């Protein structure tokens, strides 16, 4: 187990933990939560040995194998599967030993190496590595592609797969969901639920934490508090604890005020001096309850849109994708066409909103028709016809690689429209949050420079809002205080960059928000603030996100991007998760069918034919077979009955101990007299020790039953 006792931990001069104590038992799945900068990643550094405690005691089993996602970006031409496969260092070492033994001709060493490789799972290692890669969203044809041919986010997925490939007793995951789509996230949850070792995870995705963790460790005020249950249970327990603490504090303050009033009134009277002195001593002996100091939560709101065109925009027979390098010049030359890189946005002239027929007639009269895909264009979505109305809350769903970001980028005017029409309502103002913040941020510029540039681009540089002090105040409301507004954005954390993008969007006062994975680097408090702000926003929201809590709280309808099109999705997020599982099964079946060559089909047919030509085995009389089966079942029951009784008894005792352990942990998290704390602590240790012994007995009994049943199974 991992044991921390009165631990002190520093980062430079900053004290992160002081007198912290907790225990993590083998096989537990733990969420490590706390504010940014509280010390979560520093505690990970202690666990993996890159940092040592500054005080107190820290211990964990020396033989434990630790796996963790490497934070550096891999730069290698090694194929993706081989890169992930090398995450199993023992397997790589054994293969080197086999190679050396074969070169030396040492038969005993060769035999030993083959035995060790079999024990290490070499026979299915490649298939396991490929399953990890495919589960995290890669395609079959990408298994052999070099690592450095992928973008940064995909390389980090390969780092995650590499960490999962490594056999481990302790798995440390720091924000593993940041680069994952919803389909890969669902797969990862299933994998972690099957993981047999100890898991400690840092994440700001509450539904992910609820799905994979059963214990929550909270870092606050330089202390560690352990809660039994997932993140939602932790929130409830902590809220109850804070309520009780505040009530106890208020009651104690009343008592202190009453005693102080008596002291002040009678300390000068000789007849009451003794009583007054006794109350002074009572005040001195009193163990003071700390008040609940609520941390300042980050909050913001979107400004009311200047106008709300309805419909916001209409998409008619549109083609989305990527324009060939030489295909944008002619379209970009026309002054009547707007949008980045030659994107086509027709301007209605006869009304605020032109119908497709009227617009087509106008364009035909001017000799201008909507663009068509050119040779060399990469088409992702085709024939898309959708209308976006004022006030809609649309969640954009779709498996990885289906075109969600392409769709949003094109609507946001970042990519050119390859064909068809996008007709905007008059006065449409788009606020776009890019999946990669640096798509819209300049690493060398400061937040203030970003805001000044934005004011000039939007023609608001002469307004009162655009004055430097107003811009400073505005940035301060997004937690960019003082000199931070003069720091280069390239020095900021991912969460700070995301806050700056949100500030720029809010300042533009949009009526249509296009948000592509806005929560990737936001902590839980900022995610909550974003959800509240979006729900109060009066305009239209189109949201791409793997944060299911945000999707559930904001969106009231969903569009599915799949199989080259965009269509309404009839169902909720639970239905969508089932759809993803069905879609993954369909793709596996297609891949298996495509992998079948004529030779393999012929081989299987020959095998079936040979099997059919084998002489039939003599059959046993059915009645005799039933008698033998009944006899075998009776013998098996007699052998396993005492073991199953012992197993059931152990399970009942473990259930009772788990309940008692949770109650003791909850009790210790509330203010108690010292004597009760000591007694509860002793009992908690006894319960933990008995649970550990029972778990070993349970594993032994289960193994014995399984061995007997396997031996007795008919051939």
């Amino acid at each position: 187990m991992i044991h921390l006792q009165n631990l002190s931990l520093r980062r430079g001069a900053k004290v992160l933990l002081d007198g912290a104590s907790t225990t993590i038992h083998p096989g537990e799945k733990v969420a490590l939560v706390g504010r940014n900068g509280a010390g979560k990643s520093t505690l990970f550094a202690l666990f993996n040995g890159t940092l040592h405690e500054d005080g107190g005691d820290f211990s964990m089993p020396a033989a434990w194998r630790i796996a963790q996602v490497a934070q550096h970006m891999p730069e290698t031409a090694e194929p993706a599967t081989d890169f992930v496969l090398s995450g199993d260092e023992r397997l790589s070492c054994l293969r080197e030993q086999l190679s050396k033994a074969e070169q030396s001709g040492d038969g005993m060493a060769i035999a030993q190496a083959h035995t060790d490789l079999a024990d290490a799972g070499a026979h299915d290692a490649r298939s396991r590595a490929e399953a990890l890669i495919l589960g995290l969203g890669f395609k079959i044809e990408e298994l052999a592609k070099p690592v450095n041919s992928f973008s940064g986010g995909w390389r980090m997925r390969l780092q995650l797969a590499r960490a999962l490939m490594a056999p481990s007793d302790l798995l440390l995951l720091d924000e593993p969901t940041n680069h994952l789509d919803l389909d890969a996230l669902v797969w990862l949850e299933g994998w972690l639920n099957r993981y047999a070792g100890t898991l400690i995870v840092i994440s700001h995705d509450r539904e992910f934490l609820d799905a994979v963790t059963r214990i929550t460790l909270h870092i606050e005020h330089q202390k560690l508090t352990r809660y039994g249950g997932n993140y939602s249970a932790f929130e409830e327990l902590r809220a109850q604890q804070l309520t009780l603490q505040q009530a106890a504090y208020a009651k104690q303050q009343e008592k202190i005020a009453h005693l102080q009033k008596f002291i002040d009134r009678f300390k000068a009277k000789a007849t009451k001096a003794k009583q007054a002195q006794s109350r002074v001593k009572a005040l001195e002996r009193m163990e003071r309850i700390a008040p609940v100091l609520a941390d300042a939560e980050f909050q913001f709101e979107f400004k009311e849109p200047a106008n709300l065109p309805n419909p916001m925009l209409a998409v008619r027979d549109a083609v989305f994708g990527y324009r060939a390098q030489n295909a944008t010049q002619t379209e970009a030359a026309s002054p009547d066409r707007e949008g980045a890189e030659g994107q086509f946005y027709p301007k209605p002239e006869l009304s605020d909103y032109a119908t497709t027929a009227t617009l087509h007639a106008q364009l035909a009269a001017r000799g201008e028709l909507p663009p068509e895909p050119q040779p060399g264009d990469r088409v992702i979505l085709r024939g898309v016809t959708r209308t976006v109305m004022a006030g809609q809350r649309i969640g954009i769903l779709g498996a990885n690689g289906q075109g969600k970001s392409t769709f949003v980028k094109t609507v946001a005017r970042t990519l050119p429209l390859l064909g068809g029409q996008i007709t905007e309502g008059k006065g449409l103002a788009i606020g776009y949050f890019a999946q990669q913040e640096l798509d819209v941020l300049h690493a060398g510029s400061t937040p203030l420079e970003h805001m000044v540039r934005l004011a000039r681009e939007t023609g608001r540089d002469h307004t009162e809002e655009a004055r430097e002090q107003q811009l400073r105040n505005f940035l301060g409301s997004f937690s960019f205080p003082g000199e931070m507004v003069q720091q280069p954005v390239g020095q900021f954390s991912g969460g700070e960059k995301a806050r700056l993008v949100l500030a720029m969007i809010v300042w533009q006062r949009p009526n249509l928000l296009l948000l592509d994975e806005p929560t990737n680097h936001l902590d839980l408090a900022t995610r909550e603030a974003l959800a509240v702000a979006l729900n109060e926003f009066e305009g239209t929201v189109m949201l791409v996100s793997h944060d299911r809590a945000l999707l559930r709280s904001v969106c009231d309808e969903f569009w599915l991007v799949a199989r080259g099109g965009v269509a309404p999705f009839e169902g909720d997020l639970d239905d969508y998760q089932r759809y993803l599982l069905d879609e993954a099964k369909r793709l596996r079946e297609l891949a298996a069918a495509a992998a079948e060559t004529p030779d393999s089909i012929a081989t299987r047919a020959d095998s079936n034919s040979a099997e059919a030509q084998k002489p039939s085995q003599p059959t046993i009389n059915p009645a005799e077979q039933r008698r033998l089966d009944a006899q075998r079942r009776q013998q098996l029951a007699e052998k396993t009955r005492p073991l199953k009784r012992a197993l059931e008894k152990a399970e009942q005792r473990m259930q009772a101990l788990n309940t008692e352990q949770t109650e003791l942990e909850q009790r210790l998290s509330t203010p108690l007299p010292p004597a009760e704390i000591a007694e509860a602590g002793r009992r908690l240790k006894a319960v933990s020790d008995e649970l550990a012994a029972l778990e070993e007995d349970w594993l032994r009994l289960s193994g014995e039953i399984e061995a007997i049943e396997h031996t007795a199974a008919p051939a």
Side-chain angles (χ1 to χ4, degrees):
M1 69 177 66
I2 299 174
H3 185 67
L4 284 69
Q5 184 68 37
N6 294 323
L7 187 81
S8 295
L9 204 57
R10 294 173 178 267
R11 269 289 193 190
K14 184 179 180 181
V15 179
L16 298 174
L17 292 176
D18 185 18
S21 301
T22 195
T23 299
I24 300 174
H25 301 282
E28 287 187 329
K29 292 182 168 61
V30 181
L32 184 59
V33 301
R35 285 191 162 276
N36 285 347
K40 302 186 293 295
S41 296
T42 303
L43 195 57
F44 266 27
L46 175 69
F47 292 152
N48 65 28
T50 58
L51 193 68
H52 296 284
E53 64 272 23
D54 295 290
D57 298 318
F58 164 69
S59 64
M60 64 183 295
W64 269 18
R65 300 164 298 176
I66 301 174
Q68 186 174 10
V69 180
Q71 295 303 307
H72 65 274
M73 196 69 67
E75 289 289 347
T76 175
E78 191 177 13
T81 302
D82 292 343
F83 174 76
V84 171
L85 197 57
S86 61
D88 190 339
E89 295 181 358
R90 180 168 181 261
L91 198 59
S92 300
C93 181
L94 290 173
R95 283 176 171 161
E96 289 181 8
Q97 292 178 11
L98 175 61
S99 178
K100 291 178 181 178
E102 289 175 340
Q103 290 175 5
S104 64
D106 188 341
M108 290 296 294
I110 292 173
Q112 184 62 48
H114 278 293
T115 301
D116 292 341
L117 282 168
D119 292 340
H123 64 287
D124 65 344
R126 180 164 290 273
S127 62
R128 285 188 285 118
E130 290 176 347
L132 289 170
I133 297 171
L134 295 174
L136 289 174
F138 291 81
K139 298 176 182 177
I140 293 177
E141 59 268 22
E142 294 175 328
L143 293 172
K145 288 181 64 175
V147 172
N148 54 17
S149 68
F150 294 103
S151 65
W154 288 98
R155 292 192 214 179
M156 292 311 297
R157 292 197 193 200
L158 289 175
Q159 289 283 38
L160 174 58
R162 184 182 171 98
L164 300 183
M165 184 68 194
S168 61
D169 303 291
L170 173 63
L171 179 59
L172 303 174
L173 296 180
D174 191 349
E175 295 293 352
T177 67
N178 273 359
H179 301 284
L180 301 184
D181 293 325
L182 191 51
D183 52 334
L185 182 55
V186 171
W187 176 89
L188 180 61
E189 288 177 354
W191 194 95
L192 292 176
N193 281 322
R194 296 189 299 272
Y195 176 66
T198 303
L199 169 69
I200 306 178
V201 59
I202 299 170
S203 177
H204 293 129
D205 187 328
R206 61 172 59 243
E207 291 210 16
F208 175 74
L209 292 178
D210 281 348
V212 302
T213 64
R214 299 295 175 267
I215 300 294
T216 302
L217 278 183
H218 183 218
I219 303 180
E220 187 179 39
H221 305 314
Q222 302 174 347
K223 303 295 182 185
L224 270 174
T225 306
R226 176 185 166 111
Y227 294 83
N230 58 20
Y231 185 81
S232 293
F234 150 73
E235 281 194 319
E236 292 179 8
L237 289 171
R238 184 165 179 265
Q240 294 171 6
Q241 176 185 336
L242 292 177
T243 301
L244 291 173
Q245 181 181 342
Q246 187 62 36
Y249 172 77
K251 188 174 182 180
Q252 187 182 65
Q253 290 301 303
E254 290 180 6
K255 184 175 181 180
I256 290 172
H258 179 74
L259 292 173
Q260 190 64 50
K261 184 178 180 181
F262 185 93
I263 293 167
D264 294 340
R265 183 178 179 184
F266 295 111
K267 63 183 178 182
K269 291 189 177 182
T271 56
K272 296 287 187 178
K274 188 175 181 180
Q275 293 92 325
Q277 189 60 33
S278 68
R279 283 161 174 77
V280 170
K281 291 180 179 179
L283 276 178
E284 292 173 351
R285 290 193 301 268
M286 185 180 293
E287 184 177 348
R288 301 299 175 96
I289 299 172
V292 175
L293 301 176
D295 295 325
E297 297 288 349
F298 172 66
Q299 293 181 341
F300 73 99
E301 62 180 4
F302 291 97
K303 297 181 181 180
E304 181 182 354
N307 60 347
L308 286 174
N310 197 22
M312 287 274 180
L313 57 86
V315 183
R316 295 289 181 267
D317 295 321
V319 181
F320 296 82
Y322 297 89
R323 179 72 75 196
Q325 290 297 321
N326 60 353
T328 61
Q329 298 175 357
T330 56
E331 290 184 63
S334 173
D336 293 322
R337 289 177 174 151
E338 303 175 335
E341 302 180 22
Q343 185 175 3
F344 185 77
Y345 285 90
K347 287 186 176 180
E349 295 179 353
L350 302 180
S351 64
D352 288 346
Y353 182 79
T355 64
T356 303
T358 303
L359 179 61
H360 192 278
Q362 293 172 355
L363 295 171
R366 297 204 303 258
E368 298 176 356
L369 289 174
E372 295 294 337
Q374 303 297 318
D377 289 351
R378 183 186 171 200
V379 174
I380 306 295
L381 303 171
R382 186 185 293 274
V384 177
T385 299
R386 305 296 307 155
T387 301
V388 180
M389 308 297 289
Q392 280 187 291
R393 301 284 195 275
I394 304 168
I396 309 295
L397 305 178
N400 165 66
Q402 294 297 308
K404 302 186 299 294
S405 293
T406 304
F407 176 72
V408 172
K409 284 181 179 180
T410 306
V411 174
R413 310 166 186 162
T414 301
L415 289 177
L417 186 68
L418 300 188
Q421 302 167 350
I422 293 182
T423 308
E424 296 184 355
K426 186 177 181 180
L428 180 69
I430 295 176
Y432 173 49
F433 188 105
Q435 186 170 353
Q436 299 296 330
E437 290 87 353
L438 285 181
D439 287 353
V440 293
L441 296 179
H442 302 278
S445 298
T446 67
L448 186 58
E449 288 171 346
H450 276 89
M451 293 302 301
V452 170
R453 188 183 301 118
L454 182 63
R456 290 173 180 167
E457 290 174 354
T458 55
R460 293 165 63 182
D461 53 332
H462 299 298
T463 65
E464 183 178 341
E465 287 183 88
R467 293 175 185 170
E468 181 173 318
Q469 188 56 50
Q470 260 71 25
L471 293 177
R472 284 177 175 271
N473 295 341
F474 178 76
L475 287 168
S477 67
F478 280 83
S479 300
F480 293 103
E483 295 305 314
M484 195 173 182
V485 300
Q486 297 287 10
Q487 294 180 17
V489 169
Q491 299 177 7
F492 286 179
S493 67
E496 290 166 339
K497 292 175 185 174
R499 282 206 315 276
L500 178 56
V501 174
L502 285 174
M504 293 170 67
I505 292 173
V506 169
W507 192 85
Q508 293 178 73
R509 203 170 174 180
N511 47 36
L512 172 61
L513 288 175
L514 301 175
L515 307 178
D516 191 358
E517 297 292 357
T519 63
N520 271 354
H521 299 288
L522 300 181
D523 60 20
L524 281 163
T526 310
R527 291 185 185 207
E528 291 289 345
L530 176 60
V532 171
L534 289 176
N535 279 317
E536 294 177 351
F537 178 57
E538 296 182 6
T540 298
V541 177
M542 298 178 71
L543 172 64
V544 178
S545 179
H546 65 259
D547 187 329
R548 287 159 293 180
L550 183 65
L551 287 168
R552 291 184 202 276
S553 64
V554 172
C555 301
D556 49 28
E557 64 177 294
F558 297 102
W559 289 0
L560 177 63
V561 179
R563 305 186 190 182
V566 181
F569 181 77
E570 302 297 338
D572 56 17
L573 287 180
D574 295 329
D575 297 320
Y576 177 63
Q577 288 186 203
R578 287 189 286 271
Y579 162 81
L580 287 175
L581 295 175
D582 293 340
E583 186 71 3
K585 180 181 178 181
R586 184 184 70 85
L587 293 175
R588 285 195 302 269
E589 292 173 350
L590 287 175
E596 282 198 339
T597 63
D599 291 341
S600 67
I601 296 172
T603 301
R604 190 173 69 246
D606 292 342
S607 175
N608 293 339
S609 176
E611 190 70 26
Q613 293 174 9
K614 285 183 179 180
S616 59
Q617 299 295 324
T619 58
I620 301 176
N621 182 280
E624 178 66 14
Q625 183 64 54
R626 287 195 296 272
R627 186 186 68 78
L628 291 174
D629 290 344
Q631 183 179 356
R632 184 164 49 245
R633 287 195 298 270
Q634 184 177 358
Q635 292 172 351
L636 179 63
E638 289 175 356
K639 289 181 181 179
T640 59
R641 187 176 294 114
L643 295 174
K644 288 185 176 180
R645 282 205 196 104
L647 186 68
E648 184 179 358
K649 186 176 180 181
E651 288 175 344
Q652 292 174 352
R653 181 59 180 160
M654 287 169 65
Q655 185 176 2
L657 288 172
N658 278 318
T659 301
E660 185 178 0
Q661 184 183 48
T662 301
E663 292 174 351
L664 287 168
E665 290 172 347
Q666 294 177 4
R667 188 179 175 199
L668 285 169
S669 68
T670 61
L672 291 173
E676 292 186 27
I677 292 176
E679 176 60 29
R682 284 192 294 270
R683 180 55 189 160
L684 182 59
K685 184 179 185 306
V687 168
S688 300
D689 292 343
E690 187 177 353
L691 262 175
L694 282 170
E695 286 172 356
E696 292 182 4
D697 289 344
W698 187 90
L699 289 171
R700 177 181 57 79
L701 291 168
S702 299
E704 291 179 9
I705 292 171
E706 185 176 346
I708 292 172
E709 291 177 342
H710 178 73
T711 304

